[in-house]
Amino acid sequence: MTTIDSILDHLAASLDTAQKARLLSGGGVFRTSAEPAVGMRAIVTSDGPIGVRGERWDEADTALALPSCTAMAASWDEELVTRLGALLAAEARRKGVDMLLGPTLNLHRSPFAGRHFECFAEDPLLTARIGAAYIRGVQGGGVAATAKHFVANESETERLTMSADVDERTLREVYLAPFEAAVDAGVWAVMTAYNGVNGEPMAESRLLDEPLKGEWGYDGLVVSDWGAVRSTDATVDLAMPGPNEHWGERLADAVRDGRVPESVLDDRVRRLLRLAERVGAFEEAPPAVGADPAEARGLLREAAAAGAVLLTNRDGLLPLDATALRRIAVIGPNAATARIQGGGSAAVFPASVVSPLDGIRAALPAGTVLDHASGVRTSVRPRPVEPADCRNPSTGAPGVRVRFLTADGTVLHVEDRPSGRSFEVDESVDMNGLHTIEIRTVLRAPSAGRWQIGVVGLGAVRLEADGRQLVGEYVSPESDDPTYLHVSPSFRQVGLDLADGQETELLACRVFEPGHGRVLALTADPPSATPAEELAAAVELARGADAVVVVVGTSAEHESEGFDRATLRLPGEQDALVSAVAAANPATVVVVNSGGPVLMPWRDEVASVLLGWFPGQEGGDGLADVLFGHAEPGGRLPTTWPAADDGPAVPHTRPDGGRLAYREGLHLGHRGWLREGATPAHWFGHGLGYGDWEYLAVEVPQQIAPDRGFSVRAVLRNSGTRRSREIVQVYLSRPGSAVERPVRWLAGFAPVHAGPGCRVEVQIDVPPRALAHWSTDERQWLAEKGVFTVLAGPSCGDLPLTATVEVTATRT
Ligand code: BGC
């Protein structure tokens, strides 16, 4: 036993049962309980994974917004992801956070999944390697990473209650594998999922004992997902948030009357104290120093470009030569309004955002004309009033006044805010007796027309204009998922005709009800042209330009925690927009701005398709770097992109009778497409970059021992005209295998760089696990004796090099 373990044992032994049980229940929404008796302050947690939101869910509490996890994984760049992890650690320190609630290590089982953007990849090996790199970066900065959601939380529909039914071999080889790698990387915390697996809720699951704490030797903390502890039988260590009615005192009683052994309680406390020791919670919180802002923005810009995937590039349209353009049209609903992240608990509030339009404008030489039109509208949710449109009636400054009142009108708290959106208030504000929340502002119409004025919130809501009631009704919740209510609360809108320059005083209010959250927003959407007029204006601009960039995509409104997508079709009339623009101008580049796959029925009509994901706050600059060739689009698809909603290997996410059968077993993503003999829109691993790579030769050992792994040596040439980076991917297959196998599976990958015309060699390591399968009879990993085929190339659908290797024995 190490010295630190014996100190932790000693500390745990000094606490009585009640103190121990209290310590295992949160001390607030995002902090643990403190225990002065052992000198431990509260451990502060925060979502993750693409930024450190902090304890408050509030736009006033800003955070750096990194690219979505799909974009990070698309870089296939562990070194870059480790640097991003280190940046997250610095952000956490700046905001007094000890434990980051990420990375999300669930897989892209279905492209419909609401949190697809928040997970890395469809492949367990890629997820494992990128996840481990993230963890190393965060924890290298002294901040705990949290691998979540353990396990099989691949979709949102009925997520709080459904059971994912997954066979043991698939669990081991596919869904548990990234968590096993996280444990190997030394992760300090694991969060259990809301859902069950094979009928057992994950907060009560035996998988926490085996394999997690037993076979894998995990010595860190197991924390519940927020609110997932629903009984004293839960087997997690820490119940969050707290206090939790099933934990704390009830847990102490369960120990006293022998239902929960004291030794179990002790082990949980020891794990919590170990975490406290790791993050420094036996000392004062470290100074709140963050990363250098300019360096941080530079890294986020680099990461946005590194994750961008060039799907097609006919006639080498990209990169564009900025100096040769006289007029460029930037079209699309996501061009001026940056969609940098998905929705739900992962969302953060960046202090600044570079939109695609901003980024492109900044990259153009003086004198180049830039025209912009959105072409279509995709947002169905109303827009909170913005500072440019309104003034605070009490201060006269741009923005709104928010008041929190008791039933008799006593003011508990006042906030002056820039926009018409109100969230949680600081936990330190005493809200005892809270009855009503209201937002007031004076809206000024810059031109005459019909505005849509609205109120967002649940329960008894009211909306007034100049004292006249526009809305007054009781709005019932549409879901029992608290995150859904927070992210997508119901709204009501009313049309209001305003004259040019007319001012109107608006009031939105709601009666506070526990369980309905505190979200209230006052919204005002300005008058707009008709859809036909908007489309025609965009096509007209496209026709007159030397080149067109169309930015289409989704937003947090369409991709979010709390619900799954019903279709992968681009929202609104974006498909029609792309087709019309492409018909008007052949030099059209489409930038897809989404967290996960979308359908691209026009993909053969346009010259270039560049996938930018949800690129984080510096996305616009990163995009411009790629478009104009200052950076290479470094990404490769971390997930197969289907061409239709009902593609042959596209599982849905709807449980049947509360159970979601993972029927495809081992064959998710590209493995499913290969098994079906079907071709998707774009294969896993695909991405063009700006090089032109020839795969010349491959070498592998003839024979290998089963427990060794091996190295593949590949020779390539960059016959393009630019320096470039390629990801060399190695897959294995086992024709004639005695056990069921994917047609082929990813076994390793490595980056390689080369200048124009240069020949390079690269070594790709294949770990022993890539050769192994989980034997459910013997309950252990085995290798199959015999010949495996080794395939190398630029994507799982394009593998020009092959060789064979013989495994000499079956490991026992
Ligand atoms: C999510 C977690 C998140 C937690 C705290 C839950 O709804 O599933 O991923 O960390 O909330 O916000």
Side-chain angles (χ1 to χ4, degrees), residues 462-486:
R462 207 168 77 242
L463 180 65
E464 290 177 9
D466 291 329
R468 183 167 63 90
Q469 180 165 306
L470 304 177
V471 174
E473 69 173 279
Y474 189 89
V475 180
S476 303
E478 284 170 358
S479 160
D480 54 6
D481 185 331
T483 304
Y484 180 85
L485 298 182
H486 197 86

Side-chain angles (χ1 to χ4, degrees), residues 88-104:
L88 288 168
E91 270 286 271
R93 286 306 188 209
R94 177 177 73 81
K95 301 186 76 171
V97 167
D98 306 294
M99 172 173 167
L100 184 63
L101 304 177
T104 308

Side-chain angles (χ1 to χ4, degrees), residues 30 47 53 57 101 115 118 148-149 159 191 194 225-226 345 483 561:
F30 282 111
D47 287 301
R53 193 179 59 246
W57 196 309
L101 304 177
R115 296 179 89 166
E118 202 186 314
K148 69 187 188 182
H149 311 84
R159 68 171 180 151
M191 183 193 292
Y194 285 121
D225 200 341
W226 265 227
S345 60
T483 304
E561 177 177 347

Side-chain angles (χ1 to χ4, degrees), residues 296-502:
R297 284 202 304 276
L299 175 56
L300 299 190
R301 177 175 184 160
E302 175 191 343
V309 182
L310 184 58
L311 292 174
T312 53
N313 196 22
R314 259 204 331 260
D315 304 326
L317 177 63
L318 286 181
L320 298 170
D321 178 357
T323 57
L325 296 173
R326 279 165 301 123
R327 181 178 279 270
I328 182 169
V330 181
I331 308 279
N334 290 26
T337 309
R339 304 299 188 177
I340 62 155
Q341 58 181 336
S345 60
V348 300
F349 299 97
S352 64
V353 165
V354 184
S355 71
L357 192 60
D358 299 334
I360 293 170
R361 185 177 285 125
L364 291 172
T368 313
V369 180
L370 186 155
D371 293 319
H372 165 64
S374 64
V376 298
R377 268 153 212 273
T378 55
S379 186
V380 291
R381 290 195 65 80
R383 190 196 68 152
V385 284
E386 291 187 348
D389 307 326
C390 65
R391 70 179 154 80
N392 183 320
S394 308
T395 65
V400 308
R401 168 151 290 197
V402 187
R403 298 199 307 163
F404 299 81
L405 309 166
T406 63
D408 65 7
T410 308
V411 179
L412 290 170
H413 181 61
V414 175
E415 286 188 13
D416 292 324
R417 297 180 151 268
S419 80
R421 198 179 359 219
S422 152
F423 295 102
E424 302 291 329
V425 281
D426 199 319
E427 278 182 70
S428 61
V429 177
D430 184 2
M431 284 289 170
N432 249 329
L434 175 65
H435 181 267
T436 309
I437 310 169
E438 58 162 52
I439 304 178
R440 279 179 197 277
T441 195
V442 178
L443 179 74
R444 186 170 192 283
S447 56
R450 169 157 276 228
W451 286 66
Q452 294 293 325
I453 309 296
V455 54
V456 181
L458 294 175
V461 299
R462 207 168 77 242
L463 180 65
E464 290 177 9
D466 291 329
R468 183 167 63 90
Q469 180 165 306
L470 304 177
V471 174
E473 69 173 279
Y474 189 89
V475 180
S476 303
E478 284 170 358
S479 160
D480 54 6
D481 185 331
T483 304
Y484 180 85
L485 298 182
H486 197 86
V487 172
S488 308
S490 303
F491 60 89
R492 299 290 183 266
Q493 270 180 311
V494 174
L496 192 64
D497 291 315
L498 295 177
D500 187 3
Q502 185 182 342

